[in-house]
Amino acid sequence: MKHCEYQQIDPQALSTPTPTLPPQHAVVQEEKKGETARRKWEDFPGKNRFYCDGRIIVAQQSGVLPLTLGLILVTTVLFFVFDCPFLLKHLTVFIPAIGGVLFVFVVISLLQTSFTDPGILPRATPDEAADIEKQIDNSGSSTYRPPPRTKEVMINQQVVKLKYCFTCKMFRPPRTSHCSLCDNCVERFDHHCPWVGNCVGKRNYRFFYTFIVSLSFLTVFIFGCVATHLALRAQGGRGLMFALQESPASAVELVICFFSVWSILGLSGFHTYLVASNLTTNEDIKGSWSGKSGTEDTGNPYSYNNIITNCCSVLCGPMPPSLIDRRGFMPVEESSQTVATEIELAAKNEINVCQLVLCLSVFVCMAHHHPPLGGQLSGLCSVLCWLMSKCTQGTKDLLESASRSPCPQTGKPQTVSTSCPDSIDPADPAVTFNPDVTPDPVAVPSLKCGGRHHSHTTSPPDEPRQLHHHHHHNRHHKTRSARSSSKRAALHISNPAYNVSLSPPTSPGLGPSHGTGAEEHVRDSFATLH
Amino acid sequence: EISAPWTFHNLQELRHSASLANKVFLQRDYSDGTTCRFQTKFPSELESRIERPLFEDTVKRLNIYYAEAEKMGGQSYLEGCLACATAYLIFLCMETRYEKVLKKIGRYIQEQNEKIYAPRGLLITDPIERGMRVIEISIYEDRGSSGSCSGSSSTSGSSAR
C-alpha cells in the first residue's frame, strides 16, 4: 500500500483471532453500557431476515413459502381425515404410516431448506477490498472503474474465469454466484427458489433435494391412495359421482396432486440429473460447460466422471459450516454505526414473526376443527386469497384452478408491509467511511447510548442536525443498500480495525450537502489507495 | 532487507502496546477445485519479519487440516447417510466432523500466534472469520519504535512492482 497509516487498535478488535474472547468482551461492554450487546445478524448487510435471535435465516421475501407449506399441510390433513379411515378399514394400516413418515420428511426438509444458511459468503472487509483493488490496478488498468474484472484460474487443467463481485468486493470463488434477491454471494449457487423462500446453495442443496424427492413420493402416494379410495367407493356400479359426493375432500386432493405432480416429478428428475453430473442449475442454464462458447476443453471440471461419486459428494459430503456467524457478538464500536437501524429491523422481525405465526395458526385451526365442509372450503379460499396478494405472478394460475368458489372478503389480518416506505430517493448518500481521515480515537458514543427509542427523534446537543441526518439516512440505507451503488455498500461494512466515526469529526458545515461532498471524498480516498 | 528493530511481544503485550501497520492477505488456491486450500506464496511484506520455512510450514499445516475436514471418505459418507435417514435432524444434536476439525484449526492458529507470530509482531486471523477466503496476517509495529524507520520498512515491502 502506498498509503499506510498507523492506527490505534482497539483491544477488542484483536479479540477476533481468538474466538473465545468476544463473548467475554461483549459481557463486559454490556455491564459498562447497560445495554445488551448486539449480535452479528443484526448488522447483516444482505437482505435476509433472522428469527430466534439469529438461529433461523430466511430470504427477504418469504415468497411462496406459506403457500407451499399450506398446500402440503392441507392436502395431507385432508388425506388423513377423509381418506385414511376408509383405507385403514378396507386395506392396510401401512397406508397412514407411510403417509405419516413421508409427510414428516417433507415438512422437516422443507423447513431446513428454508431456514438454513445456503452458503452465504460474508462480504470482504475494507482491508481485503483495498488489497484486491491494489492488486488489480497494479496489473495495468488506468481508469478508476475498469470494465467488469475477471481473474482466470486453472482448475483441473481447465481455465475458469472468476468474476469480481462489486457488491461484496471480492473475486467470487468458483461456482459462487450473487443472488440479487438476497443480495448475497452464495457458494455453489443453484437457484433462488421462491417456493422455499430461500436460495439453494452448497449448504442446503441436500435438504432441497430431499424435499423434492420426498414431496414427489408423497404426492404420488396421496394421488394413488385417493384414486384407490374413490375407485373402491365407486365399486358395485354406484359410479364416480356417488363416490365424490360421499367424499368431496378427495376431489380437492386429487386436483392439487394432479396439478403439482408433473412439476414436482419433473423437478426431481432434473435435479437427479444435476446431482449425477455434479452441476448446478445456474451452470446448466448458462451452459458453462456444454461448449456453447465454442472453445474446446469444456468439460465440467468439478465432476468426478462417476455418477456414484458425484452423488455421494453432493449429497453425502461433509457439511460445511456457516460462514456468516450470525450469533456472534459484534465488537462494540461497530454497533454504534447501525443503532438507528435496530428499531426498524426489530420492528420488522417482530412483524414477520407475527405474520408467520398467524399464518401457521390459521392452517392449524382449519385442520383441527371439523367444520361443515362449506365453512372449510371458504376458509381455504379466504386464506388462498390472502396469499394471492403475496404471490408471485407464476403461481396465480395454480391458485385459480384450486379455488373454484368466489372468495369472500373476510377480515384478514392486515399484512403489514415489511419493506421501508418508498420515500427515499436512490441517491441516498449515507456515506460514513473515510479511510484516510485519521480516525477519531473516541468512537461516537452518543449514538449507541442514545438508545433505541431516541435515535431518530432527539440528538445529543453537541452534534445536532448532522447526526439526525445520519440516523435518518442510515435507517433507510439498510434497506436501500442493494439498490444504491456498490461502492456505498462496501463503506457500510464495519471493520474492527478501523475506528469509524459516523460523522466527519471536524466539519460541521457539511450539513445538507453532505451527500455529494462525502461521495467525492470517498472517491478521492479510494484514488489515494492506488 | 531492512531489519527494523522490534521488541519481542507476546499476545497480551501485542494488544496493549503495538499498533497495526499493515495487513497481508493470502488468497485461496483453486487449482484443485472448490476444496479449501491457500496459496503458499511467501508475501514480500513478511520477508523482514519471519523466516520463510516457519511461515510455509504454518500454511501447509493449515492446508492439511482443511483437506482433512473436507475429505470424502468412509466416515463422511456414513455421517451423510445417517443424517439423511434421520431427515438431517442429527445436525441439531451432533457436531459434524468439519466443525471438529475447525476447532482444531482454531487451537492450532492460537498456538502458532502465541509461540511464533506474536513474538515477531505478527498475528494470524483464522480464515473462518473472513469467510474462508483469505488468511489475514496483521503486521504490528511497536508504538515506541520510530515512525520513519518502521514506516520505510513497510512501504518498501509493499511498494508496487
Side-chain angles (χ1 to χ4, degrees):
Chain A
M1 269 169 54
K2 295 189 184 80
H3 177 90
C4 300
E5 17 178 355
Y6 295 83
Q7 297 177 341
Q8 292 278 1
I9 275 285
D10 199 309
Q12 282 119 22
L14 291 177
S15 63
T16 44
T18 52
T20 52
L21 282 172
Q24 294 168 13
H25 276 268
V27 166
V28 165
Q29 290 307 314
E30 207 174 316
E31 287 162 7
K32 271 191 213 165
K33 306 275 182 181
E35 276 188 10
T36 53
R38 291 170 60 78
R39 295 204 188 246
K40 288 184 185 166
W41 64 264
E42 301 180 43
D43 292 325
F44 188 68
K47 284 195 208 166
N48 296 87
R49 293 178 300 171
F50 298 88
Y51 301 115
C52 290
D53 198 21
R55 289 182 182 88
I56 291 177
I57 174 173
V58 292
Q60 184 191 43
Q61 298 139 352
S62 55
V64 201
L65 174 64
L67 175 69
T68 312
L69 259 178
L71 278 175
I72 294 171
L73 271 173
V74 161
T75 313
T76 315
V77 162
L78 288 179
F79 171 71
F80 278 117
V81 167
F82 291 98
D83 297 277
C84 274
F86 184 89
L87 290 168
L88 197 63
K89 203 168 49 169
H90 288 86
L91 281 181
T92 165
V93 74
F94 283 121
I95 288 184
I98 294 174
V101 166
L102 282 174
F103 174 65
V104 162
F105 252 84
V106 165
V107 170
I108 290 179
S109 45
L110 170 63
L111 293 178
Q112 284 181 324
T113 312
S114 304
F115 297 152
T116 306
D117 168 19
I120 296 174
L121 281 177
R123 298 193 183 179
T125 56
D127 291 323
E128 279 179 63
D131 188 62
I132 293 176
E133 294 251 350
K134 178 197 73 175
Q135 282 174 17
I136 293 167
D137 289 319
N138 279 348
S139 57
S141 176
S142 57
T143 57
Y144 170 66
R145 181 63 74 87
R149 307 153 174 175
T150 56
K151 185 164 84 166
E152 292 191 349
V153 293
M154 286 291 285
I155 297 180
N156 287 333
Q157 286 87 49
Q158 200 172 315
V159 175
V160 174
K161 276 194 177 162
L162 302 184
K163 280 193 182 165
Y164 184 78
C165 182
F166 286 106
T167 315
C168 304
K169 294 277 177 192
M170 61 177 177
F171 279 101
R172 286 187 207 130
R175 309 193 99 172
T176 303
S177 189
H178 191 93
C179 175
S180 48
L181 287 166
C182 303
D183 201 28
N184 292 313
C185 271
V186 176
E187 281 191 292
R188 203 183 183 278
F189 180 74
D190 197 82
H191 65 286
H192 182 99
C193 186
W195 293 93
V196 151
N198 200 2
C199 291
V200 176
K202 183 160 91 167
R203 295 186 77 244
N204 64 352
Y205 187 75
R206 64 192 75 194
F207 304 143
F208 178 73
Y209 187 74
T210 310
F211 167 61
I212 55 175
V213 166
S214 49
L215 185 62
S216 16
F217 278 125
L218 182 69
T219 316
V220 167
F221 180 75
I222 291 184
F223 191 77
C225 288
V226 169
T228 312
H229 174 205
L230 290 174
L232 287 175
R233 273 195 198 263
Q235 260 178 351
R238 284 176 291 179
L240 190 60
M241 288 318 296
F242 174 75
L244 281 174
Q245 273 168 9
E246 277 203 337
S247 178
S250 307
V252 173
E253 295 168 51
L254 266 183
V255 161
I256 294 178
C257 287
F258 182 76
F259 281 105
S260 39
V261 77
W262 309 114
S263 44
I264 292 172
L265 272 180
L267 201 60
S268 301
F270 174 61
H271 276 280
T272 308
Y273 156 71
L274 288 181
V275 164
S277 30
N278 204 333
L279 278 173
T280 65
T281 308
N282 203 26
E283 287 166 355
D284 189 69
I285 287 177
K286 285 187 188 164
S288 316
W289 316 120
S290 64
K292 280 185 194 166
S293 52
T295 57
E296 65 280 355
D297 222 27
T298 51
N300 179 7
Y302 312 106
S303 168
Y304 296 94
N305 294 319
N306 177 340
I307 290 181
I308 309 245
T309 320
N310 280 339
C311 290
C312 287
S313 77
V314 175
L315 301 175
C316 301
M319 182 70 176
S322 174
L323 296 173
I324 55 178
D325 189 24
R326 306 185 284 277
R327 289 175 45 80
F329 286 100
M330 301 277 290
V332 177
E333 62 271 18
E334 295 173 83
S335 52
S336 62
Q337 264 187 359
T338 50
V339 66
T341 62
E342 270 179 13
I343 308 161
E344 201 207 342
L345 276 176
K348 224 163 65 158
N349 284 341
E350 278 163 19
I351 289 166
N352 294 335
V353 170
C354 289
Q355 269 185 315
L356 206 61
V357 167
L358 210 55
C359 180
L360 286 173
S361 58
V362 165
F363 291 132
V364 166
C365 286
M366 273 179 50
H368 278 293
H369 297 323
H370 296 288
L373 208 55
Q376 196 175 38
L377 274 180
S378 70
L380 172 66
C381 285
S382 64
V383 172
L384 286 173
C385 284
W386 174 66
L387 289 171
M388 217 186 216
S389 63
K390 317 255 290 165
C391 276
T392 55
Q393 207 62 28
T395 59
K396 282 201 175 143
D397 300 333
L398 184 64
L399 283 172
E400 277 156 12
S401 63
S403 63
R404 297 280 149 100
S405 44
C407 300
Q409 186 67 24
T410 60
K412 287 176 278 297
Q414 196 56 30
T415 61
V416 182
S417 166
T418 57
S419 61
C420 217
D422 289 340
S423 57
I424 305 304
D425 56 322
D428 185 4
V431 164
T432 59
F433 187 74
N434 296 322
D436 64 355
V437 169
T438 311
D440 203 312
V442 178
V444 187
S446 51
L447 298 171
K448 192 174 186 311
C449 293
R452 296 160 187 258
H453 309 292
H454 302 311
S455 57
H456 64 281
T457 51
T458 64
S459 325
D462 49 340
E463 290 164 325
R465 223 181 24 196
Q466 201 176 0
L467 219 53
H468 178 73
H469 217 52
H470 259 292
H471 279 299
H472 193 69
H473 282 303
N474 272 341
R475 185 158 60 100
H476 297 291
H477 173 65
K478 192 73 179 120
T479 56
R480 290 287 184 266
S481 60
R483 294 173 208 172
S484 50
S485 65
S486 56
K487 59 177 180 276
R488 214 170 296 136
L491 302 176
H492 199 69
I493 297 167
S494 39
N495 179 10
Y498 285 90
N499 223 342
V500 180
S501 53
L502 256 195
S503 52
T506 54
S507 51
L510 277 184
S513 64
H514 180 243
T516 47
E519 258 191 61
E520 295 278 331
H521 201 67
V522 166
R523 210 183 280 257
D524 292 337
S525 63
F526 261 104
T528 57
L529 285 175
H530 303 154
Chain B
E1 272 188 14
I2 297 175
S3 53
W6 66 75
T7 56
F8 287 88
H9 300 281
N10 57 22
L11 214 51
Q12 285 298 115
E13 235 186 271
L14 206 60
R15 288 192 195 113
H16 296 299
S17 66
S19 61
L20 183 68
N22 199 357
K23 283 188 185 184
V24 181
F25 296 97
L26 285 175
Q27 300 286 339
R28 283 269 294 267
D29 172 17
Y30 293 117
S31 55
D32 236 359
T34 48
T35 51
C36 187
R37 267 180 68 90
F38 289 96
Q39 293 177 354
T40 49
K41 188 173 67 94
F42 187 62
S44 46
E45 292 90 341
L46 296 180
E47 261 166 31
S48 56
R49 304 300 291 248
I50 187 168
E51 297 80 15
R52 185 188 282 250
L54 276 177
F55 173 79
E56 287 184 353
D57 198 47
T58 309
V59 180
K60 282 190 183 139
R61 197 100 258 267
L62 285 176
N63 282 339
I64 290 171
Y65 281 141
Y66 283 118
E68 182 195 325
E70 297 190 356
K71 189 177 68 141
M72 281 186 298
Q75 199 195 349
S76 80
Y77 288 155
L78 198 63
E79 206 179 52
C81 291
L82 185 67
C84 184
T86 61
Y88 301 109
L89 288 173
I90 59 165
F91 285 147
L92 297 171
C93 338
M94 205 179 82
E95 194 185 49
T96 65
R97 204 169 64 118
Y98 208 118
E99 285 167 356
K100 288 193 186 109
V101 178
L102 283 178
K103 284 195 177 157
K104 195 162 74 165
I105 289 173
R107 285 194 300 268
Y108 174 72
I109 289 180
Q110 166 100 352
E111 177 211 324
Q112 291 280 295
N113 273 336
E114 277 167 8
K115 286 193 193 151
I116 300 179
Y117 289 86
R120 292 168 172 74
L122 301 171
L123 201 65
I124 299 184
T125 306
D126 196 334
I128 193 81
E129 314 255 346
R130 297 288 177 261
M132 307 276 265
R133 284 188 306 264
V134 287
I135 300 179
E136 183 182 297
I137 302 173
S138 313
I139 304 175
Y140 288 92
E141 294 295 340
D142 205 14
R143 257 195 239 165
S145 63
S146 60
S148 57
C149 193
S150 39
S152 60
S153 73
S154 55
T155 46
S156 70
S158 60
S159 58
R161 296 206 177 122

